[in-house]
């Protein structure tokens, strides 16, 4: 089991560029999440999904889009990158039907927008 | 009021010390509780779940007080490797679909 994988690990974007952050999990979890974490701060939820074809906004969705066409994949799209989107992005997944309820995180993507 | 509140620290303690962190939550209907650990520039990972009766895992003890709506984590005999940020995490009522994360308490264990 690879768990939750994210690509790329690092990326530098220019203002106005677009990119997609990839996230894949091989645990057959229905719930998946995207968070951002600014330096020295807590996690902020961007978007989440409770299953293929279903997505919902989190706390800070502006400037981002997501899709969930399969159980495994949950990509995050930045359309017009802005310096305020410089952050570390974590993808996560969990199985709410299990008694454990543990949430698994990917290793993160470090994004800098210049 | 934030849904989950933690003292951000930092807590700087010598090796071998005992240190305790507290966390309060606002939703009295919250169902389950966890402590996660996040190392510098890494992803959060589950440290331990918190049960009503309290639970222990080696040097770590977690307690839950539902009446006062707070959770605690006690670390005994601190090691250098315990240096990290500790996140308090709450699972709200069943209708909610996401866990609520505290902002974390930073711990540095000094030699």
């Amino acid at each position: 089991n690879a768990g939750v994988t994210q690509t790329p690990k690092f990326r530098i974007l220019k203002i106005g560029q677009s990119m997609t952050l990839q996230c894949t999990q091989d645990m057959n979890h229905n719930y998946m999440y995207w968070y951002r974490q600014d330096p020295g701060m807590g996690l902020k939820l961007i978007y989440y999904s409770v299953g293929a074809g279903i997505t919902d906004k989190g706390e800070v969705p502006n400037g981002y889009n997501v899709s969930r066409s399969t159980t495994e994949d949950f990509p995050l799209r930045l359309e017009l990158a802005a310096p305020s989107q410089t952050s570390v992005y974590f993808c996560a997944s969990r199985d709410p039907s299990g008694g454990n309820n543990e949430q698994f995180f990917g290793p993160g993507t470090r994004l800098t927008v210049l | 009021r934030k849904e989950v509140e933690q003292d951000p620290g930092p807590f700087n303690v010598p090796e071998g010390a005992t240190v305790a962190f507290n966390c309060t939550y606002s939703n009295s209907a919250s169902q389950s509780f966890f402590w996660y650990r996040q190392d510098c520039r890494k992803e959060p990972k589950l440290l331990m779940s918190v049960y009503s009766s309290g639970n222990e895992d080696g040097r770590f003890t977690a307690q839950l007080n539902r009446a006062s709506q707070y959770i605690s984590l006690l670390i005994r005999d601190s090691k250098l490797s315990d240096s990290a940020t500790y996140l308090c995490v709450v699972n709200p009522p069943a209708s909610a679909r996401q866990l609520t994360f505290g902002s974390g308490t930073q711990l540095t264990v000094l030699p």
Side-chain angles (χ1 to χ4, degrees), chain A residues 10 31 33 35 37 41-43 45 48 50 54 56 58 90 94 100-108 110, chain B residues 31-32 34 36 38 40-46 49 85 87 91-92 94 96-104:
Chain A
F10 304 93
Y31 285 23
Y33 307 87
Y35 298 89
Q37 187 175 37
M41 306 296 285
L43 298 167
L45 183 65
Y48 67 99
V50 298
I54 306 168
D56 276 298
F90 290 106
R94 81 184 165 105
N100 187 346
N101 236 324
E102 181 177 354
Q103 186 157 305
F104 296 85
F105 286 82
R110 280 167 178 72
Chain B
Q31 294 194 321
S32 48
F34 312 89
Y36 276 65
Q38 185 174 22
C40 187
R41 300 176 69 80
K42 299 281 191 180
E43 73 272 24
K45 292 183 179 178
L46 179 67
S49 301
T85 296
L87 307 174
N91 191 9
R97 294 173 168 182
Q98 62 263 31
L99 303 178
T100 303
F101 285 78
S103 297

Side-chain angles (χ1 to χ4, degrees), chain A residues 41-62:
Chain A
M41 306 296 285
L43 298 167
K44 291 186 178 179
L45 183 65
I46 304 171
Y47 269 96
Y48 67 99
S49 168
V50 298
I54 306 168
T55 62
D56 276 298
K57 294 179 180 179
E59 182 186 355
V60 289
N62 290 346

Side-chain angles (χ1 to χ4, degrees), chain A residues 19 23 36 42 45 68 105:
Chain A
M19 76 165 294
C23 174
R36 61 175 286 173
L45 183 65
R68 185 94 183 271
F105 286 82

Side-chain angles (χ1 to χ4, degrees), chain B residues 19 26 28 37 45-46 48 62 73 81 93 100-101 104 108:
Chain B
V19 61
S26 60
S28 60
R37 171 192 169 128
K45 292 183 179 178
L46 179 67
M48 59 196 301
L73 177 68
S81 57
T100 303
F101 285 78
T108 301

